Amino acid sequence: MKTSFLKLLLALGVLAAAVAATNSDTPTPAAPEAPFPVNISVDATKVVGPYKHVYRYFGADEPNYATMKDGKKLIGELGALRGDNKDVYYRAHNLLTTGDGTAHYKWGSTNAYTEDADGKPIYNWTILDQIFDTYHNAGIKPYVQIGFMPKALSIHPEPYEHHWDPSQPYNAIYTGWAYPPKDYDKWEELCYQWAKHCVERYGMAEVATWYWEVWNESNTQSNGIGYWSATQPEYFKLYDYAAAGVRKAIPNARIGGADSAGNGGQWSRNFIQHCIDGTNNATGQTGAPLDFFSFHAKGTTPSMIGEVGGVLRHSQLGIGGQLSAISGGFAIAATYPQTKGVPIVIGESDPDGCAACNTEALRGYRLDTAYPTYTAACIAREFELADYYGVNFEGALTWAFEFEDEPYFKGQRVLATNGVDLPILNVFRMFSKMGGQRVAVTSNHAVPLGEIIRTGVRGDADVYGLATLDKNKLCVMSWHYHDELIPGPDANVTLNLTGLPATIKEAKLTEYRIDETHSNSFSAWKKMGSPDQPTPEQYAELEKAGQLQKADRPATIAVDQGTTKLTLTLPRQSVSMVVLEWN
């Protein structure tokens, strides 16, 4: 992999190629193609690095949904990913936004800070406690985002609450909450009082395990996105005062950021340099805390494209764009000795940029198996990029949750619909079964990482795998992914497993699947006629279909001199998880 060409691609963070031009013609679909053979080999003796549970991070714009009926149910499902001490984290916008706690698209509030007639602070933790208690009761830890600006502190308080919907310009969401505080001492005191309250409620040992991150995408003013309606030096001031307040209450608090839009480029480099040797606005000392480095990475916005090989117009994803942003972010962290070993969290890690946007048919990938297949392929390559740059990759946060009381399978980027889990949640359940060390996987049908970064998966499909060995358990995840959301031939995969203990004669065999007939509530819903209001019996069936399901396999498999082999057929946009266990 480490050819000079790939090194150049990775170092520069090359963007994915532009999507094909739209063609309005609607040609006759091509005849189904015959399956193609694939050989995937796993060598359990060749360790390539530790397996980290990087998938166990989630978040959303709207914090209040977590305390509602279906939100609580989904929080419980995420908490169940925790297993044996695999901490799950949840990040939300609007934790300090002023309002009554009513949620709607791109909006939430807690009313944590108001002022009396004399301008004296009033702290109210009631709604924040409800949110964090919901996490805590499910075994989830907060990835605390310190923001947004309370109305009483904003230098530009009006207008404040927005009522955006997907038919409106996106910039309509940026109102008084996006501005700096009128009084930085009050901002620091708010952060201190909040952190102090969390210590009193949850204990010092617990809150020290949380992430404390300041604001969101404060690098975006220059490109018309207004999460921070001020300059970068003003963000440094916001960061320094927030960190000072939190550290006053929690001396060993894990503080970081800046959760930039994209990897931030020079903006992120300026931020890191400020944390290393800049003058701290709050303390006057040199530098600021940076206990983790975070940035965002999104795939190329799905596009509707024209004819490809005689196939009708269809949607096209862009995994190359996301991996390019991640490559650039890892390269930034690797540049500085002070940050090369600092934990990195991709604070929003998604195939596209707007979870609430649901009106375009091209976003239908979110409901079906393309979303989990994309995610499997992307996370595996994130491990490769982290290995390449030698950075401390800690997490990839999926910016998706749920919207309460919406139509079933509406098309937003969510993990569940009306309490029914979507296929995407099952790929995280697969990842949660893995552990120990990553071991070597090769495939004669894997698209090289450099090619994916440069052009995406637009030619041959990517049929590849990720494998872990943990004592007496080998897990092999494999997938069949393509950016083009069109039918394609199946992959007939031969899975060659070597390096197992020579003493065992057989192993317990389990295969989990995500495809049209397994772990797929959306296909089950369509099969029952896409009911607007499922009956109780139908709802129970959908709940069951939303769980991770096993493929029909023999209970054991023979092992000869540490080697075994099995075959599986992977349709396009499907994921398999084979688990072997022995005594």
Side-chain angles (χ1 to χ4, degrees):
M1 179 184 295
K2 293 187 180 181
T3 64
S4 58
F5 178 61
L6 177 58
K7 286 183 179 180
L8 178 61
L9 285 175
L10 295 177
L12 296 177
V14 181
L15 295 175
V19 296
T22 299
N23 185 330
S24 60
D25 296 333
T26 54
T28 303
E33 299 177 66
F36 59 93
V38 178
N39 285 297
I40 297 178
S41 298
V42 177
D43 186 344
T45 66
K46 293 184 178 178
V47 173
V48 296
Y51 177 73
K52 293 184 177 181
H53 293 273
V54 298
Y55 60 88
R56 55 187 162 73
Y57 295 75
F58 303 91
D61 293 77
E62 306 86 2
N64 306 97
Y65 285 132
T67 65
M68 300 175 74
K69 175 176 63 70
D70 292 332
K72 281 187 176 179
K73 183 178 180 181
L74 181 53
I75 285 289
E77 297 279 20
L78 298 182
L81 296 172
R82 185 172 183 270
D84 298 329
N85 298 315
K86 301 186 290 287
D87 291 332
V88 177
Y89 288 90
Y90 194 89
R91 173 180 184 255
H93 293 342
N94 292 300
L95 292 178
L96 294 177
T97 305
T98 302
D100 63 4
T102 300
H104 49 83
Y105 291 150
K106 307 291 292 183
W107 178 262
S109 59
T110 66
N111 228 42
Y113 180 94
T114 54
E115 293 180 354
D116 65 16
D118 296 324
K120 294 181 180 178
I122 300 172
Y123 303 107
N124 185 341
W125 312 119
T126 302
I127 296 176
L128 271 169
D129 286 347
Q130 292 171 355
I131 294 169
F132 281 10
D133 284 355
T134 301
Y135 302 166
H136 187 72
N137 293 339
I140 291 176
K141 296 177 182 290
Y143 184 118
V144 183
Q145 184 188 119
I146 303 174
F148 294 121
M149 194 56 61
K151 186 175 183 178
L153 273 183
S154 175
I155 64 171
H156 193 293
E158 296 290 353
Y160 195 75
E161 181 174 354
H162 65 76
H163 292 277
W164 178 86
D165 68 61
S167 68
Q168 296 176 313
Y170 195 81
N171 282 0
I173 72 170
Y174 305 120
T175 55
W177 55 262
Y179 287 83
K182 62 185 181 184
D183 186 323
Y184 276 91
D185 289 332
K186 286 185 175 181
W187 169 251
E188 178 181 339
E189 184 66 14
L190 168 59
C191 296
Y192 164 69
Q193 292 292 341
W194 184 16
K196 176 174 172 287
H197 174 76
C198 289
V199 171
E200 293 167 351
R201 191 170 185 86
Y202 303 105
M204 183 67 78
E206 170 63 20
V207 298
T209 67
W210 300 359
Y211 293 85
W212 296 82
E213 174 249 324
V214 183
W215 217 257
N216 174 70
E217 296 190 349
S218 50
N219 64 318
T220 53
Q221 187 185 36
S222 61
N223 60 14
I225 302 174
Y227 274 102
W228 178 242
S229 295
T231 65
Q232 186 171 36
E234 287 172 296
Y235 172 71
F236 294 165
K237 188 174 182 180
L238 183 89
Y239 184 92
D240 294 347
Y241 275 87
V246 172
R247 281 279 174 89
K248 181 179 175 183
I250 311 168
N252 61 337
R254 182 163 50 175
I255 297 171
D259 271 85
S260 59
N263 59 50
Q266 187 58 47
W267 190 97
S268 286
R269 295 177 186 274
N270 295 344
F271 169 68
I272 291 172
Q273 200 67 55
H274 170 75
C275 292
I276 293 171
D277 59 15
T279 300
N280 190 297
N281 293 275
T283 67
Q285 299 175 355
T286 299
L290 186 59
D291 301 308
F292 64 95
F293 172 54
S294 54
F295 61 89
H296 297 172
K298 309 285 185 175
T300 306
T301 300
S303 301
M304 188 71 77
I305 69 168
E307 179 183 350
V308 173
V311 179
L312 296 172
R313 283 166 51 80
H314 62 279
S315 297
Q316 181 188 72
L317 299 178
I319 193 172
Q322 184 170 356
L323 290 171
S324 174
I326 293 167
S327 175
F330 287 176
I332 290 170
T335 301
Y336 303 89
Q338 297 91 335
T339 56
K340 189 166 185 178
V342 165
I344 296 174
V345 179
I346 307 168
E348 293 181 22
S349 181
D350 305 295
D352 72 84
C354 179
C357 298
N358 60 282
T359 55
E360 300 110 328
L362 56 86
R363 298 183 191 273
Y365 81 89
R366 299 164 165 182
L367 303 174
D368 217 328
T369 58
Y371 191 3
T373 309
Y374 176 111
T375 302
C378 194
I379 287 179
R381 270 34 184 261
E382 290 165 6
F383 279 121
E384 292 183 24
L385 285 168
D387 291 344
Y388 180 85
Y389 286 112
V391 295
N392 185 6
F393 174 39
E394 190 71 21
L397 192 150
T398 296
W399 198 248
F401 188 57
E402 66 104 29
F403 294 95
E404 202 83 11
D405 297 324
E406 294 277 357
Y408 281 80
F409 302 96
K410 186 174 180 179
Q412 297 116 326
R413 192 176 67 238
V414 293
L415 305 176
T417 173
N418 288 282
V420 174
D421 297 342
L422 292 176
I424 178 60
L425 198 50
N426 286 311
V427 82
F428 301 126
R429 292 178 174 130
M430 284 183 173
F431 278 120
S432 73
K433 295 182 179 298
M434 306 180 84
Q437 301 292 315
R438 288 179 288 122
V439 295
V441 180
T442 57
S443 169
N444 66 347
H445 218 284
V447 179
L449 177 55
E451 181 179 334
I452 295 179
I453 290 175
R454 182 170 56 86
T455 61
V457 182
R458 305 290 170 84
D460 289 339
D462 182 52
V463 188
Y464 195 26
L466 176 71
T468 63
L469 179 66
D470 189 7
K471 299 178 182 178
N472 60 343
K473 183 170 80 169
L474 177 69
C475 296
V476 182
M477 179 186 288
S478 53
W479 56 84
H480 178 180
Y481 174 73
H482 204 288
D483 277 345
E484 313 284 358
L485 301 188
I486 52 178
D490 294 347
N492 285 343
V493 177
T494 300
L495 198 57
N496 302 288
L497 309 178
T498 63
L500 302 174
T503 56
I504 63 172
K505 301 301 180 184
E506 69 175 15
K508 178 184 175 182
L509 172 64
T510 308
E511 185 191 359
Y512 300 92
R513 276 295 189 110
I514 304 171
D515 57 25
E516 183 67 18
T517 58
H518 297 88
S519 316
N520 192 335
S521 60
F522 183 49
S523 62
W525 180 69
K526 290 188 294 183
K527 187 176 180 181
M528 61 179 60
S530 306
D532 291 335
Q533 292 297 327
T535 66
E537 293 76 16
Q538 288 175 323
Y539 188 85
E541 184 179 342
L542 291 174
E543 282 188 304
K544 183 178 179 181
Q547 298 298 306
L548 183 60
Q549 297 173 347
K550 298 177 182 177
D552 186 15
R553 286 279 183 184
T556 61
I557 188 170
V559 179
D560 182 19
Q561 298 297 311
T563 300
T564 191
K565 178 169 63 176
L566 65 156
T567 59
L568 52 150
T569 299
L570 286 179
R572 182 178 282 200
Q573 314 297 15
S574 67
V575 188
S576 165
M577 166 75 83
V578 170
V579 181
L580 268 63
E581 299 173 275
W582 57 89
N583 295 321

